[in-house]
Amino acid sequence: MTALSDWLQRLETLHPAPMALGLDRLSPVFQKLNPDLSAAKVITVAGTNGKGSVVELLQNLLLSAGHRVGLYTSPHLLRYNERVRVNGVELDDETIIAGFEAVERCRNDISLTYFEFSTLAALHNFAQAKLDYMILEVGLGGRLDAVNIVDPDLCVLTSVALDHEAWLGNDREQIGAEKAGIFRPGVPVVCGDAEPPESVLSRVKELGCPYFHCGEDFVLQQSDNGGALWWGRSRGGSRREVHYKGQLHLLSVNIACALQAYWLLKDDAPPDWSALSSTVPGRQEHLNFEGIDIILDVAHNPAASAALAWHLQQLPPVERCCALFAVMADKEIDGMVAALKDSFHAWFLGDLTGNPRAKPARDLAPLLHAQGISMISVSKNMRQTFARAMSLLEPGHRLVVFGSVFTVAAIKTILEQKLSRQDLEGEI
């Protein structure tokens, strides 16, 4: 195989199940692959929400200080290459394929999932890159996630909320225990959850981890006229402060966690703090379509939906704000809708064609009706859904796209085609 698309298609067929937690299959392949990661400090980031923002911001902070940084994140929006970056640049197809080939040589007949294979290949790529820091985003949970094959020098736990209950447990205590599985004896832990479960705190105590809790050990305070003051602690316990006058785009708690992680890794500031103005594709991302404010957000659980609702409340009001919503069937849809039902004048629902996990739009509509939402449009695909939304909106209005990574990716792909409103009229 020579094309990346061929490799990715094959990876989807190597394991009988698309998802299978556990390190038993992974360990022998990792040992044989034996990537030399000793030169790089490893930061592992887990959490229900906020992981993508924290890893992106921490990467940019370390890059601004002149370091070589590898970032492994998932899922991707438009291209697989988004998942594996060195110095902020996506690896090219040839380099990614070389990593796949290295894993294949070590795999023998061991069955690996798409994510497991991808993780091992990324670690091989990073071993060749002579990195100072390696940032790994947990895919699911923590304890049994593929990235947990590597021992971290610093752990970040962004939040603990209900999601993926079938895999992680039915309450925050169980989910917290799974996420705390990334912790190691004596390794510092940065926690962004306002009220972490006892399972997280007991694991910190058991392992003797230096613990830094948002709101107590570090805080970000934004000012009404822009900018912010952050204060926190160095690894040695001394106070550190950052005064920033630029615009902040990410949630305060995620910025605060990234800054605390930075000061635990380094004890000197970069030449400037402009990295704090980082944005992340698909996380409260604002785009303009013929004067219409389009917000793309991958919120896919009640906690993330509540954060999106808060973001909308901070924005200047508009005459008409609508939702474009598609979601996976296994999500807590009622909680997501409840968090945002008062935010929109109308909801546009569409099928994510070709995605067997997605909730059909016709089955989603009754769930909205049950919560008192009456202005609902149901479409057969994302292109038609977007076209119908545009037919109702005018310059100065707002459309919020959310529900899953797949939803955001579908609309982002349409937007990148540079279509006009007239081009879309035939889709309605």
Side-chain angles (χ1 to χ4, degrees):
M1 289 182 293
T2 57
L4 178 58
S5 58
D6 293 336
W7 269 101
L8 297 177
Q9 187 174 7
R10 181 165 182 264
L11 261 55
E12 293 176 346
T13 65
L14 289 180
H15 194 75
M19 189 182 301
L21 295 179
L23 303 179
D24 292 343
R25 295 183 319 281
L26 201 69
S27 295
V29 185
F30 179 73
Q31 292 168 9
K32 189 173 181 181
L33 186 66
N34 194 29
D36 183 6
L37 306 171
S38 58
K41 288 188 176 181
V42 177
I43 305 97
T44 302
V45 181
T48 306
N49 298 307
K51 299 189 298 293
S53 296
V54 170
V55 300
E56 187 84 20
L57 181 50
L58 182 56
Q59 169 201 245
N60 294 343
L61 288 170
L62 291 169
L63 288 175
S64 68
H67 297 287
R68 288 185 59 80
V69 184
L71 173 60
Y72 178 59
T73 184
S74 67
H76 61 274
L77 281 176
L78 304 180
R79 299 173 304 281
Y80 177 89
N81 310 60
E82 299 168 21
R83 296 179 178 228
V84 193
R85 286 173 265 166
V86 171
N87 284 349
V89 179
E90 299 171 8
L91 296 190
D92 57 36
D93 289 5
E94 292 74 17
T95 304
I96 291 173
I97 290 172
F100 288 160
E101 291 172 341
V103 175
E104 185 65 17
R105 288 192 295 270
C106 298
R107 186 174 66 86
N108 297 326
D109 60 348
I110 296 176
S111 174
L112 298 173
T113 67
Y114 183 106
F115 185 75
E116 291 167 341
F117 203 110
S118 301
T119 301
L120 290 172
L123 295 175
H124 173 81
N125 293 140
F126 289 158
Q128 319 300 311
K130 297 181 173 57
L131 301 173
D132 300 315
Y133 296 95
M134 188 167 63
I135 306 172
L136 306 178
E137 179 185 350
V138 168
L140 179 64
R143 181 175 65 93
L144 299 176
D145 188 82
V147 304
N148 205 32
I149 198 74
V150 180
D151 289 329
D153 297 284
L154 174 65
C155 300
V156 180
L157 177 58
T158 59
S159 64
V160 180
L162 296 179
D163 200 6
H164 301 293
E165 290 98 321
W167 296 96
L168 304 180
N170 296 319
D171 58 48
R172 292 182 73 243
E173 288 297 335
Q174 295 179 66
I175 295 173
E178 289 298 319
K179 296 185 183 300
I182 67 170
F183 300 169
R184 297 294 193 275
V187 172
V189 172
V190 175
C191 181
D193 195 287
E195 298 181 0
E198 183 57 36
S199 57
V200 170
L201 299 176
S202 62
R203 188 62 174 165
V204 165
K205 184 176 181 180
E206 176 188 349
L207 296 177
C209 302
Y211 181 66
F212 301 83
H213 185 210
C214 187
E216 297 179 8
D217 302 291
F218 62 96
V219 171
L220 181 79
Q221 300 168 328
Q222 290 189 250
S223 61
D224 294 336
N225 57 355
L229 165 66
W230 175 91
W231 61 260
R233 300 291 174 185
S234 69
R235 190 162 187 167
S238 57
R239 182 183 173 98
R240 293 289 180 268
E241 289 189 0
V242 175
H243 297 261
Y244 187 65
K245 295 183 179 179
Q247 187 173 7
L248 301 176
H249 302 286
L250 302 177
L251 289 177
S252 295
V253 63
N254 296 329
I255 298 173
C257 284
L259 277 168
Q260 181 58 71
Y262 177 90
W263 282 115
L264 293 176
L265 294 167
K266 294 177 56 60
D267 208 25
D268 59 310
D272 64 75
W273 291 104
S274 57
L276 291 175
S277 290
S278 298
T279 59
V280 182
R283 277 77 170 180
Q284 297 178 3
E285 178 184 9
H286 287 250
L287 298 175
N288 183 285
F289 180 83
E290 297 190 0
I292 298 168
D293 178 28
I294 296 182
I295 301 177
L296 304 176
D297 196 285
V298 297
H300 57 276
N301 54 53
S305 299
L308 176 57
W310 182 89
H311 175 67
L312 295 175
Q313 291 167 8
Q314 311 312 305
L315 299 176
V318 295
E319 182 182 353
R320 181 171 294 170
C321 180
C322 296
L324 190 156
F325 183 49
V327 64
M328 300 299 102
D330 60 350
K331 297 301 178 181
E332 212 290 273
I333 299 172
D334 287 340
M336 296 175 65
V337 173
L340 283 155
K341 66 179 182 180
D342 297 326
S343 301
F344 306 120
H345 297 96
W347 292 64
F348 292 85
L349 314 180
D351 287 337
L352 287 164
T353 52
N355 189 325
R357 288 181 55 209
K359 186 85 166 176
R362 66 179 181 275
D363 297 335
L364 192 55
L367 301 181
L368 274 65
H369 279 300
Q371 296 203 39
I373 298 170
S374 58
M375 295 293 291
I376 300 173
S377 169
V378 176
S379 301
K380 62 184 179 181
N381 57 52
M382 285 291 100
R383 193 179 178 96
Q384 184 182 72
T385 311
F386 183 69
R388 288 180 172 175
M390 289 302 101
S391 71
L392 188 67
L393 298 173
E394 299 292 341
H397 293 169
R398 180 173 293 139
L399 178 69
V400 182
V401 179
F402 76 105
S404 78
V405 169
F406 305 104
T407 310
V408 169
I411 300 305
K412 202 172 181 70
T413 299
I414 293 171
L415 290 170
E416 290 196 349
Q417 295 171 4
K418 305 295 184 184
L419 300 173
S420 68
R421 189 189 295 268
Q422 188 173 11
D423 295 328
L424 292 167
E425 288 179 354
E427 302 290 337
I428 300 174

